[in-house]
């Protein structure tokens, strides 16, 4: 009985707040660092450019070996070139998919810039070393050899798992706080494509969920679990991220262990605030301390507001 009680308490800690409410337990109010921020539409939409730049440059370099400075230099608004991007060793199908995603990100940058105005591209670190540092932290060890997202298709997909989902939950968190209809329509349209990209990446990885990532001897599913866990820790606002396989208690309607689409107890998308996103992409757990993929910090008024503190 004691073991069952302890296990039940452990599960309660893991469950989303929405599920706890269904069980009849009143969830605590969100912590101050988890509440939506106050900002005007323009700043909220422009904030998304940080993730759109990151995705665009990573996908463009991975698929084509070149970035915005070659294909659409005006969208960079004079911002510094990314560090460490290079063409990945992708098979033909994955290359075609990633190339399509890359062009979609160019469209996203253009749409936001034309709607609310652009900002200079931030300094981006998309080097193999930046991803290796993230994966070392995620695995709580120093991987040998260092994880290289550009080495092969599977590694690139795992690295891609890190990024689009963060933008996806960011749009979910942003849309309810937008006032203007045009801005809501734009963000909803961006969310639709970001969700599709994330679903494709997760599906491709799920097809290989039980395959071991060489030479580490860790399965694809375990890698995604670790990535999701560290994003939850960095975000500091509870569980809003899940890997490709979960216990049935966390699966859709508690009936499946597959988790191709990460969602809450009602299969609704999780959401994150702008500070949560910065904590994650900085890799520091602190929206005022840059690092990781944005070593000099994000751009736009919201990101700069936190850098000033």
């Amino acid at each position: 009985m004691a073991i069952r009680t302890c296990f039940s308490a452990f599960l309660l800690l893991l469950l989303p707040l929405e599920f706890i409410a269904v069980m009849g337990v009143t969830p605590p109010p969100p912590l101050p660092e988890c509440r939506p921020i106050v900002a005007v539409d323009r700043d909220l939409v422009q904030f998304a450019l940080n993730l759109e730049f990151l995705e665009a440059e990573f996908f463009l370099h991975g698929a084509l070996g070149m970035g915005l400075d070659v294909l659409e230099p005006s969208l960079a608004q004079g911002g510094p070139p990314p560090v460490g991007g290079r063409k990945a060793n992708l098979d033909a199908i994955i290359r075609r998919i990633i190339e399509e995603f890359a062009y979609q990100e160019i469209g996203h940058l253009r749409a936001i810039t034309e709607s609310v105005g652009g900002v200079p591209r931030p300094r981006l670190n998309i080097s193999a070393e930046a991803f290796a540092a993230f994966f070392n932290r995620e695995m709580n060890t120093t991987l040998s050899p260092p994880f290289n997202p550009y080495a092969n298709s599977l590694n690139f997909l795992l690295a891609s798992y890190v990024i689009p989902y963060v933008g996806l939950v960011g749009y979910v968190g942003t849309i309810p706080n937008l006032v203007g209809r045009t801005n809501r329509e734009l963000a909803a349209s961006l969310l639709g494509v970001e969700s599709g990209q994330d679903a494709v990446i997760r599906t491709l990885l799920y097809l290989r969920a039980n395959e071991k990532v060489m030479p580490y001897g860790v399965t694809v599913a375990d890698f995604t679990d670790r990535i999701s866990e560290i994003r939850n820790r960095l975000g500091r606002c509870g569980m809003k991220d899940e890997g490709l396989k979960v216990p049935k208690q966390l699966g859709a309607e508690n009936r499946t262990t597959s988790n191709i689409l990460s969602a809450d107890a009602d299969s609704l998308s999780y959401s994150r605030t702008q500070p949560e996103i910065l904590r994650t992409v900085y890799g520091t757990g602190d929206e005022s301390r840059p690092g990781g993929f944005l070593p000099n910090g994000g751009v736009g008024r919201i990101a700069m507001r936190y850098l000033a503190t």
Side-chain angles (χ1 to χ4, degrees), residues 55-188:
E55 294 173 44
E57 295 290 8
F58 182 57
F59 290 151
L60 283 169
H61 280 86
L64 303 173
M66 64 186 77
L68 289 173
D69 290 332
V70 174
L71 295 169
E72 291 289 343
S74 64
L75 292 176
Q77 301 269 318
V83 174
R86 66 176 189 258
K87 192 171 184 178
N89 182 27
L90 305 178
D91 64 62
I93 293 176
I94 301 303
R95 185 179 305 282
R96 177 56 60 89
I97 292 170
I98 298 302
E99 183 178 357
E100 180 181 337
F101 287 178
Y103 297 144
Q104 290 170 349
E105 297 305 328
I106 290 177
H108 291 181
L109 290 168
R110 182 184 302 109
I112 294 174
T113 299
E114 291 180 351
S115 179
V116 298
V119 293
R121 175 181 54 198
R123 170 73 71 183
L124 300 170
N125 188 349
I126 55 173
S127 67
E129 291 76 16
F131 280 95
F134 181 90
F135 276 78
N136 284 346
R137 183 169 182 179
E138 160 230 319
M139 299 300 290
N140 197 30
T141 188
T142 300
L143 295 175
S144 181
F147 183 88
N148 181 358
Y150 302 105
N152 54 60
S153 293
L154 181 55
N155 281 21
F156 196 87
L157 287 173
L158 284 168
S160 298
Y161 180 95
V162 173
I163 301 173
Y165 181 75
V166 179
L168 182 165
V169 292
Y171 281 124
V172 175
T174 295
I175 291 172
N177 300 305
L178 295 173
V179 176
R181 178 175 177 177
T182 300
N183 293 324
R184 291 198 303 270
E185 290 176 345
L186 172 62

Side-chain angles (χ1 to χ4, degrees), residues 222-253:
D222 285 341
F223 259 101
T224 64
D225 285 342
R226 301 289 184 87
I227 294 170
S228 292
E229 286 170 8
I230 194 171
R231 287 191 299 207
N232 283 327
R233 291 201 303 272
L234 291 171
R236 301 191 348 236
C237 291
M239 190 180 71
K240 299 183 177 182
D241 204 323
E242 301 158 342
L244 296 175
K245 291 186 175 182
V246 294
K248 274 194 176 181
Q249 295 91 333
L250 298 179
E253 296 302 298

